[in-house]
Structure formats: C-alpha cells, structure tokens
Amino acid sequence: MRYISTRGQAPVLPFAEAMMTGLARDGGLYVPETIPQMDAAEIAALDGQSYEEAAFRVMQPFVAESFSENELRQAIRRAYQGFGHAARAPLVQLAPGHHLLELFHGPTLAFKDFAMQLIGQLFQVALAREGRRVTIVGATSGDTGSAAIEAFRGLPNVDVFILYPHGRVSEVQRRQMTTPDDANVHALAINGTFDDAQARLKDLFNDHDFRDGVGLAGVNSINWARVLAQVVYYFTGAVSLGAPHRPVSFTVPTGNFGDIFAGTIAKAMGLPVDRLVIATNQNDILDRAMRTGTYEVGRVEPSVSPSMDIQVSSNFERALFYALAGDGAAVAQLMQELKAGSFTVPQGALQHLREIYDSGRVSEAETLSTIARVRAETGEVVCPHTAVGIKVADDHRKPGVPMITLATAHPAKFPDAVEQAVGIRPPLPPHMARLFDLPERVTRVENDNEALKSLILERRMA
Ligand SMILES: *Cc1c(COP(=O)(O)O)cnc(C)c1O
C-alpha cells in the first residue's frame, strides 16, 4: 500500500514514511492509494475477538509493506496493555437503540490514546531499524498533547515538543502535559489559540530546511497512522451491535475531523455504516459547511468542550479529496481560497458529502443540560464533548438503526464543566491521583515562527 497526498504534488510514500512525515511536502495530507476491502464474512469473524486481534486484522493491509505481521502484533499488544478496561473500547447502553462507545480508558483518559500509544510503538520500531532520530512537534487543543507526551516520553531517538494555547486548556489537560519530567519532553504554551498553534506547526513543516535539519516528524490528527488506528473501534463497536448483518450509525464529537474521518474509512472498507453524524459545539464551521456549502472560518469561541474549539478542521481536506474524486489540483485550489477565509464546496462534492454525513451544533447551555439529563436518566456522568455528541445523536436517531455515540473523554478530565452541570466533581482514576501534587514544567512562547524555531534548536537533544 502506498500513500498519496490530497494535493497531488508530494512524493508517494510507504506507510512508515507517511507516518513519520505527518504533513505531505505539498501541504496536503496523506491518504492510501486504494482502500482495502473487508467482506461480510471477514467482518462477521471479528465478533468475539479481542480488541487487539480486531486491530491487527483491520490495519494489517494498510501497513503490510512497512511492518511485518509480528512487528504489528507486538506494537498493538504493547500499545493497549496499559488501558484500564479489558475490552479497550467498551459499549455502554444509554437508551434503547443508543449506545456510548467509551474511548477514555487509556492513560490520558481521551480517545487520542488509541492512536498515539500505537504510533509511539510503531515509531520506535521504525527508528530503531533505521538508526534514525526525529523531532516530534505537535499542536494541541489539549488532549493530543498529553496523549503524545505519554506515548513518547523517555523513548530513545525522539524529542517531543507540544504547543498548546496558553490559558485555553483545562487544568487536568495542562498538568498532564507539564508534569512528565522526562528530558525529551517539552511543553510549550503559545500566546494564541489552537488555530494559531496549528498554523505555526504547518509553517514549521513547510520550512523544508528546518524540517530536514531537525528530522521533523508530526503526530497531529492529520497523521494518517492516527486515523488508521481509530478505524478499528468503528468495526468493534458496529460488530458488537450486529454488523455486518445490520447497519449502524455513529455520532462523533468533532473538531479536527480526524475521528469521524476514521469512520469514513471504515465505511469505505465495507462496514455497513448508515450515517456518520458530525457533532460540533458553538465552533460550528463543519455544521455550517454541511448546511450551506460554504466553508467559512469564524472566530474561535472558547467553550466547555475545549478539545473541539477549532475553526480550521484539518482532516476535512481528506473528505473533500474523496468528494472531489481524488482531484488533488481541485483540493489545492480550495485550500488556496481558504487562505482568504472561505471557499464554496462544489455542488457535486457537497452532494457526495451529504450522502455520508449529517451534522448538528450544540450550544453551551444544551451541553450542560445534556450532562444533567443523561445523569438523571442513566446515572452515567459524561464529559462535555460526549454530551455534545449525545445531543446531536438524539436529534438524528432513526428507528431500527442502532446509534453509537463516541464518548471521547473521561468526565474527570473536564471537572469544571461537569460540576457546573450536575454539582459534582468526578474523581480522577487512581493511577492519576498524584497529578495535582507534581511540579509543572512549561515554556511560554510567542505566536512567532522564528522564536519557535530557535527554541526547538536549542532544546532538542542532538
Ligand atoms: C480531539 C478531541 C475531539 C475531536 O476529535 P477530532 O478528531 O479532532 O475531530 C473530541 N473530543 C475530545 C475529548 C477530544 O480530545
């Protein structure tokens, strides 16, 4: 399997290279040249298998040329052994026909651990084999950063720099990034928003001298390997509810469009997914784009679901690429227009997107009232991102088609919002109880490329 760029002008790469590169050199995102298919018998055979076995079967065709079967199995085993639940991604029923897929049993309590733990293992195998060293730089709205630090801390051959928007992440998120004391970990608080952090990251990757000089590697949600790792739980969730013998729908609390795009790949591989529902908070660029056809960047409004406080939704470019039938030049043209603030999705492409996705937007008040309602109706305490998903899912459920809402984080990661909604602060799981006692280590940086580059050059362990 080879990987091509959504903008059609970057080198075609094998899986391991696409994983370590992150962003393609033409500014595009890597996608597989073809989508491997799983037929109904292969999907049915996932029933009753461990999460690890399902992960192996779903991912193997995508990585076969870069990792042996044995390397992949080992990486998967190590990636998920620290999870706090034997099912890894258990399903919990909320109401008849509505289920939550709990993706928060990993070490940093958000779904990002599924992908990050795995790519930490895969990076290690690939770098050791080639005797190579890389500098990982990531931008985070909160959860990616902690997941990346947890996955790469202390690993040889890697420095990790994580940029987060100063003052715009929750205290738990911040402490998860600033308390690890490994010498190869660097938490950087940028004066700006998540979109600023993401823009600086893109600038670093587009500076080819710098990129080659430090061996820049990306682990943001634009990284194809992350999308791939997330495809797995769409299969395990759907099969638990009767796929491939009946279709299921998913609602996904969405920011950068990585998680829901993984669902798109699962569907393209043959999983019978009826609808993929995009759930956004008041930062609703995707919901507006789906309704009006105009993708227009607004201002980021901080919300109680901060991991979705995004206006430019990077992985949406992948969905556009498929909706435009793989026309890289057309994608590049739209992305060029976006620099001036907006573009209009061509009619045919919009129709294609609407055949796959529904969308909905949830206000701050609705997020909090949903947390309260779910607690009253089920006893479950959910995080604000998950609440956004549940509200939108309830608006889109259809009789006869089970709905699975992705529970993207543990409520204890966002205690202020939960307390505001239901008056209790959910406790951290025991393995994280010391988080508030550990000293923090962080560097403030300006929203400026040159400042960032010199800091990275100075700090990395050459
Ligand atoms: C990252 C994140 C999201 C958004 O996921 P995307 O892949 O960026 O769309 C939603 N909820 C939580 C808790 C997250 O950490």
Side-chain angles (χ1 to χ4, degrees), residues 109-112 140-144 173 194 221 226 230 233 252-261 279 286 305-310 313-315 383-386 406-410 413-414:
L109 310 181
F111 80 88
K112 309 279 196 309
T140 185
S141 54
D143 295 328
T144 292
Q173 289 177 316
F194 170 67
S221 74
R226 284 190 52 193
Q230 292 165 186
Y233 47 70
V252 187
T254 295
N256 229 344
F257 210 80
D259 211 5
I260 195 164
F261 188 73
L286 289 165
S305 45
S307 304
M308 308 185 338
D309 289 349
I310 286 172
S313 192
S314 298
N315 279 291
C383 95
H385 309 78
T386 305
L406 271 48
T408 51
H410 190 287
K413 223 170 166 173
F414 303 94

Side-chain angles (χ1 to χ4, degrees), residues 116-154:
M116 211 61 85
Q117 286 292 321
L118 182 72
I119 74 173
Q121 297 300 327
L122 294 177
F123 260 72
Q124 212 179 0
V125 175
L127 292 174
R129 192 160 62 195
E130 296 167 30
R132 230 164 105 185
R133 196 177 168 82
V134 292
T135 303
I136 290 175
V137 185
T140 185
S141 54
D143 295 328
T144 292
S146 52
I149 286 171
E150 208 48 56
F152 288 94
R153 62 188 291 189

